[in-house]
Amino acid sequence: MSIQQNLNKIKASLPINVTLVAVSKTKPVSDLMEAYEAGQHIFGENKIQEMTDKWESMPKDIEWHMIGHVQSNKVKFMSEYVNLVHGVDSIKLLQEINKQAKKHNRTIDCLLQIYIAEEETKFGLDEKELKELLTSNEFKELQNIRIVGLMGMATFTENQSQIEKEFKHLKSIFDNSKSLSIVNCQLSILSMGMSGDYKLAIECGSTMVRIGSSIFGGRN
């Protein structure tokens, strides 16, 4: 099937309140343009340089999401245009995003990454660290970022009940954190679910899914 057919099939299966991020890392601009012309205007990349090259050459009504692990020294290269930074897991990174956003007179939206998997390789905060971060004095000083939601990645396993348990755990943290009244934090997005598990993630309350191979085919 073509990229357009894949997209149409996936979009038809998504509830109206769920946002689709097309994960376009390693894919050529021609593939992204095919998706763009089929109506997909939100793309997720995991390398800042690659995302910046694509941003420079593609239509300016595209929303660019940084979905990879971000190194503080690279933030400046995307701060002019990035729409949403997924996977933020430290006050140090938030301070750098805030500093670079300020230079461009922007407010950059961010998702905080929560550690829900039973794997050492995944990044993220636990529930206690999340609360400590959001209620810290350092966080209150950040006026050029806005925390708009949480994200998390389930364990890479065939065990559906384990994945479901992890997604439900993240949903409960999301629900518990929504009541915190903090100026630069309005939680409305719960980002969980990828090509292999997005339907289960949506059943568990996800409002944003990141799908790559089911749209563009296997990774280059």
Side-chain angles (χ1 to χ4, degrees):
M1 288 210 295
S2 69
I3 289 170
Q4 180 174 0
Q5 288 169 317
N6 290 339
L7 260 175
N8 290 344
K9 188 177 163 198
I10 290 164
K11 283 186 169 175
S13 75
L14 296 180
I16 196 155
N17 67 316
V18 175
T19 301
L20 171 62
V21 180
V23 177
S24 49
K25 59 190 184 186
T26 79
K27 298 298 174 187
V29 167
S30 56
D31 282 9
L32 277 72
M33 283 307 300
E34 192 179 329
Y36 175 83
E37 278 152 16
Q40 179 62 28
H41 290 190
I42 304 174
F43 293 95
E45 293 280 335
N46 71 338
K47 290 195 165 63
I48 291 173
Q49 187 56 58
E50 184 183 341
M51 181 169 71
T52 301
D53 290 345
K54 288 173 177 173
W55 167 70
E56 284 171 349
S57 66
M58 290 183 67
K60 291 297 173 265
D61 61 342
I62 289 173
E63 260 191 47
W64 293 100
H65 290 203
M66 178 59 195
I67 61 169
H69 193 67
V70 180
Q71 294 168 291
S72 294
N73 62 344
K74 301 269 179 72
V75 170
K76 57 181 178 280
F77 299 114
M78 64 174 179
S79 54
E80 183 184 345
Y81 68 88
V82 72
N83 293 89
L84 184 62
V85 183
H86 297 230
V88 177
D89 63 356
S90 71
I91 190 72
K92 179 173 164 272
L93 181 54
L94 281 173
Q95 287 168 331
E96 184 60 25
I97 295 169
N98 186 77
K99 178 179 138 187
Q100 298 300 336
K102 199 170 182 177
K103 289 180 185 174
H104 294 284
N105 202 18
R106 297 185 68 212
T107 300
I108 294 177
D109 289 345
C110 300
L111 301 178
L112 292 175
Q113 181 161 359
I114 308 302
Y115 183 83
I116 55 169
E118 292 181 14
E119 286 171 9
E120 289 302 310
T121 54
K122 300 274 196 297
F123 298 96
L125 306 157
D126 63 27
E127 193 164 7
K128 181 168 170 275
E129 290 166 334
L130 171 68
K131 193 167 183 189
E132 283 170 1
L133 188 154
L134 291 176
T135 55
S136 69
N137 289 328
E138 294 100 321
F139 181 74
K140 292 188 180 88
E141 290 166 8
L142 305 178
Q143 300 189 343
N144 290 77
I145 57 113
R146 185 169 48 226
I147 304 300
V148 294
L150 305 179
M151 65 82 66
M153 292 161 78
T155 304
F156 190 69
T157 174
E158 295 292 316
N159 183 341
Q160 293 299 299
S161 60
Q162 184 181 342
I163 295 169
E164 183 178 357
K165 185 183 84 177
E166 290 168 0
F167 283 155
K168 284 182 171 169
H169 177 51
L170 181 53
K171 175 71 162 76
S172 76
I173 294 173
F174 177 73
D175 290 341
N176 293 342
S177 305
K178 272 164 83 166
S179 59
L180 294 168
S181 86
I182 299 159
V183 175
N184 45 354
C185 177
Q186 294 101 24
L187 300 180
S188 60
I189 296 169
L190 181 56
S191 173
M192 57 188 192
M194 300 188 287
S195 284
D197 56 18
Y198 75 90
K199 288 179 179 168
L200 179 56
I202 291 167
E203 283 172 29
C204 296
S206 175
T207 66
M208 180 176 279
V209 293
R210 306 180 302 279
I211 300 179
S213 54
S214 298
I215 298 171
F216 297 107
R219 207 170 295 171
N220 292 347

